[in-house]
Amino acid sequence: MTLARKKQRHPCSMFVDLFMTSGEKMSLLSFFRTLVGLYVAVFALIASASEPNPLSVHVLDLQTGKPSPGIRVDLERKLAAGNWEAIGSALTDEQGRVRALVPASAMSQWVAGEYRVIFRTGEFYARTKQPTFFPEIPVVIQVQDTHQHYHVPLLLSPFGYSTYRGN
């Protein structure tokens, strides 16, 4: 003997049947479709925002042993003619970092070649009312693989600096 199994309905479906007309049910379905569409769009936006930026910098003040917030850092790309083209600019954060120096709008310009990272240290020292020997520190880097991440730390004091390729 086989028993016919009664189809189980979701508890909410009874509420929908009692209180909603068929037109309202379609509106509700349309609403949920829109909600799912928004969810997919937001997820895609988050995924694209999590793409790693190819260039970051970090500035540490050797005199105080602390990060250097508020230093303007400019990025330029060397053109075939030998002149420099501005690509982006940012300020170091409270930790002395710029985590994404290449703006999203300039990612298509990130190609193999020479780039110049210019740390505008004179502005920083003027705000802190300290003299400096280096009003700006240009660091020219060679990008060979655009899929790699490049990190340029700067160890800074009013009368000297050091830099290297970080990771």
Side-chain angles (χ1 to χ4, degrees):
M1 175 169 144
T2 58
L3 295 174
R5 204 168 170 193
K6 188 174 180 180
K7 185 178 176 186
Q8 294 287 335
R9 294 185 65 197
H10 191 277
C12 290
S13 65
M14 189 169 60
F15 168 79
V16 170
D17 287 341
L18 287 174
F19 296 105
M20 299 183 85
T21 66
S22 62
E24 289 172 326
K25 289 177 189 175
M26 289 306 293
S27 294
L28 186 62
L29 180 62
S30 177
F31 169 76
F32 281 118
R33 283 185 180 152
T34 303
L35 193 61
V36 168
L38 286 172
Y39 173 78
V40 169
V42 167
F43 184 77
L45 183 63
I46 290 169
S48 68
S50 66
E51 290 288 321
N53 195 277
L55 182 60
S56 60
V57 300
H58 190 191
V59 183
L60 294 170
D61 187 336
L62 289 173
Q63 186 175 354
T64 63
K66 295 180 180 178
S68 300
I71 293 181
R72 184 165 54 100
V73 183
D74 297 327
L75 176 62
E76 300 174 340
R77 179 172 61 101
K78 191 172 190 178
L79 301 175
N83 51 330
W84 295 93
E85 172 187 44
I87 291 182
S89 185
L91 290 176
T92 56
D93 64 14
E94 290 301 311
Q95 296 174 348
R97 296 178 182 274
V98 175
R99 298 177 196 305
L101 190 53
V102 180
S105 61
M107 290 300 285
S108 63
Q109 298 174 38
W110 185 253
V111 295
E114 286 185 33
Y115 291 82
R116 183 164 56 186
V117 178
I118 305 170
F119 297 89
R120 306 293 179 177
T121 53
E123 299 167 0
F124 172 73
Y125 282 118
R127 275 194 316 277
T128 59
K129 299 184 180 7
Q130 292 184 45
T132 182
F133 188 66
F134 300 102
E136 65 180 36
I137 300 172
V139 178
V140 178
I141 63 171
Q142 178 70 41
V143 171
Q144 294 176 344
D145 182 355
T146 58
H147 300 294
Q148 284 188 10
H149 177 79
Y150 293 85
H151 182 67
V152 182
L154 179 69
L155 305 175
L156 179 64
S157 75
F159 300 99
Y161 69 90
S162 178
T163 188
Y164 57 95
R165 179 175 178 185
N167 58 16

